[in-house]
Amino acid sequence: MEARTIHHLGVAVADLDEALGTYERLFGAELEHRATVRDQGIEAAAVLVGSGRVELLSPLEADTPVGRFLASRGAGMHHVAFEVEDIRAALDSLRRDGAELVDEEPREGMFGLQVAFVHPDSVHGVLAEVVAHG
């Protein structure tokens, strides 16, 4: 699989509004998009920091992937998202190369992107996400 770029860094936070204020105040971040993604159990805000993007993730409930992450690890880096041209080809390539996939099939994420996750055990302890436009 060949990534085109790092699309965003995902950061788990307990209070989305507080985190937005912090990123705006400390780094001059600009809110790009805010949405609730019910099938992932999150409210998320994408903020632009210079030419980069950070996605702040807050759980809708404690028993969600981000809720469990916060309970076990606390706030902090949650995942790195890599943008690819063709998400299905990327998943096939990752599978062939021995990566353990969290998502065997892509699903809809923020911005209308197709997304899929790669298990942290396959990426030296970091949850990885691959994303592609429609």
Side-chain angles (χ1 to χ4, degrees), residues 104-116:
E104 292 293 328
E105 292 292 323
R107 54 187 158 128
E108 188 172 331
M110 285 183 54
F111 307 106
L113 293 171
Q114 292 294 303
V115 305

Side-chain angles (χ1 to χ4, degrees), residues 29-101:
E30 286 184 40
L31 179 62
E32 178 183 27
H33 184 74
R34 184 172 180 160
T36 298
V37 185
R38 294 225 177 266
D39 71 324
Q40 294 181 31
I42 58 166
E43 183 176 13
V47 296
L48 298 174
V49 182
S51 63
R53 179 182 291 115
V54 176
E55 190 175 88
L56 303 170
L57 311 163
S58 180
L60 295 174
E61 298 178 21
D63 191 25
T64 61
V66 173
R68 290 188 296 273
F69 179 93
L70 284 171
S72 67
R73 296 186 183 107
M77 182 63 67
H78 182 262
H79 68 272
V80 177
F82 298 92
E83 186 174 337
V84 298
E85 185 70 34
D86 180 334
I87 195 163
R88 290 189 186 280
L91 291 174
D92 288 344
S93 175
L94 288 162
R95 196 177 294 110
R96 271 193 317 274
D97 289 339
E100 180 183 347
L101 301 178

